[in-house]
Amino acid sequence: MSDRATETKTLDRHECRACGYVYDPKKGNPKNDIAPGTAFEDLPQTWVCPVCAARKSAFQNLGQMEGVSGFKANQRYGVGVNGMTEGQKSLLIFGGLVVGFLLLLSMYGLQ
């Protein structure tokens, strides 16, 4: 495996399927003396969720926070929005709503 693939893997966040707690390796887990920068894969097998005490196997990989939102397998489909980040999608959605609202208001000015 290349160094880049390993680096990407360490940035992945993991969510507890029981309670929704998200382990972010950038923040670590101060309650359990896990230092920031510790990858989920490097956590001890005895580590449990700090909220509900679920085992490590109860967590699912969410991927990177800064990366493209959505499933990696689906990013090549669609009309380009599957390759956008969460912020870009939000800007597109809310920007479209603002433009539509302004267009609606401009229709009242025509009378």
Side-chain angles (χ1 to χ4, degrees):
M1 225 193 245
S2 70
D3 291 340
R4 182 157 172 79
T6 305
E7 181 182 319
T8 302
K9 187 176 185 182
T10 60
L11 297 177
D12 287 354
R13 296 171 304 135
H14 288 73
E15 179 182 31
C16 178
R17 291 181 289 200
C19 70
Y21 168 79
V22 176
Y23 174 76
D24 187 354
K26 292 181 181 177
K27 296 178 183 175
N29 180 230
K31 286 185 177 181
N32 294 332
D33 295 326
I34 305 296
T38 305
F40 186 79
E41 293 79 13
D42 295 337
L43 295 174
Q45 287 298 325
T46 57
W47 183 82
V48 294
C49 176
V51 176
C52 69
R55 291 183 171 191
K56 190 175 169 184
S57 61
F59 281 74
Q60 67 181 1
N61 189 338
L62 293 179
Q64 297 177 352
M65 184 151 190
E66 300 85 23
V68 175
S69 61
F71 296 108
K72 291 179 183 177
N74 294 337
Q75 290 174 359
R76 60 188 166 145
Y77 298 107
V79 289
V81 294
N82 288 342
M84 295 177 148
T85 63
E86 184 178 348
Q88 291 171 328
K89 287 181 183 179
S90 295
L91 182 64
L92 181 66
I93 291 168
F94 293 113
L97 288 173
V98 168
V99 168
F101 181 71
L102 292 175
L103 182 65
L104 180 70
L105 287 179
S106 70
M107 295 293 184
Y108 287 106
L110 293 177
Q111 291 181 347

